[in-house]
Amino acid sequence: MLESPNLIEANFFTVANNLPYQVAHVRQQKGLRSWADGMVLMVKNGLKLKSVSLETPPIPGGGTAPHNRYLDWSLRGILVAKIEGVTFLGAHLKSPTRNPDKNDLVKRLKQARGLAAYAKRFKAICS
């Protein structure tokens, strides 16, 4: 789930609806903005969630310093979860504005290329 509430609300949702899932949650752009939405991955109980993290890899052609890369990802990033030998990547690319302009579309394309470049690190899902 992208633009999810905080971890407490996501856990409450699963309990209130009697869903057999554990919740993996990351706050977008590493908590640099308190209003930022989080990203949630619901993992079926019984599956082993090995790790979950928020990554902000470089955008191809960009020269942004690592501590500012969240800006290239529109204050978002990539949720990276390792579940029983499978790596799951979740991303929310730049949303078009009401009147998308060329800059929105260019940024979204750069983010998609950055996601593809990052995914190539995980040979099992790219071969």
Side-chain angles (χ1 to χ4, degrees):
M1 286 186 254
L2 302 170
E3 296 184 15
S4 68
N6 61 46
L7 178 59
I8 294 169
E9 291 180 46
N11 278 326
F12 176 78
F13 174 79
T14 60
V15 172
N17 291 287
N18 198 30
L19 300 174
Y21 291 90
Q22 57 186 310
V23 176
H25 177 271
V26 292
R27 177 161 281 299
Q28 293 177 2
Q29 38 69 47
K30 301 187 181 188
L32 295 174
R33 304 281 186 273
S34 60
W35 46 262
D37 296 315
M39 291 190 284
V40 164
L41 175 64
M42 296 172 66
V43 180
K44 184 95 168 168
N45 286 344
L47 295 177
K48 182 169 170 102
L49 175 64
K50 294 183 178 181
S51 66
V52 63
S53 62
L54 179 67
E55 304 296 329
T56 53
I59 299 280
T64 306
H67 65 279
N68 284 328
R69 283 188 192 148
Y70 69 94
L71 297 170
D72 290 342
W73 287 95
S74 301
L75 308 179
R76 296 179 175 99
I78 302 172
L79 178 147
V80 180
K82 296 186 184 216
I83 305 166
E84 293 191 5
V86 174
T87 300
F88 176 88
L89 305 178
H92 182 181
L93 303 181
K94 169 82 174 143
S95 297
T97 57
R98 287 184 184 239
N99 300 306
D101 62 15
K102 183 179 176 184
N103 290 332
D104 286 346
L105 302 175
V106 167
K107 186 168 217 171
R108 192 175 188 146
L109 181 59
K110 286 180 179 179
Q111 290 171 333
R113 287 181 179 147
L115 177 60
Y118 185 77
K120 286 181 181 177
R121 296 175 55 193
F122 305 100
K123 294 178 184 175
I125 63 171
C126 294
S127 58

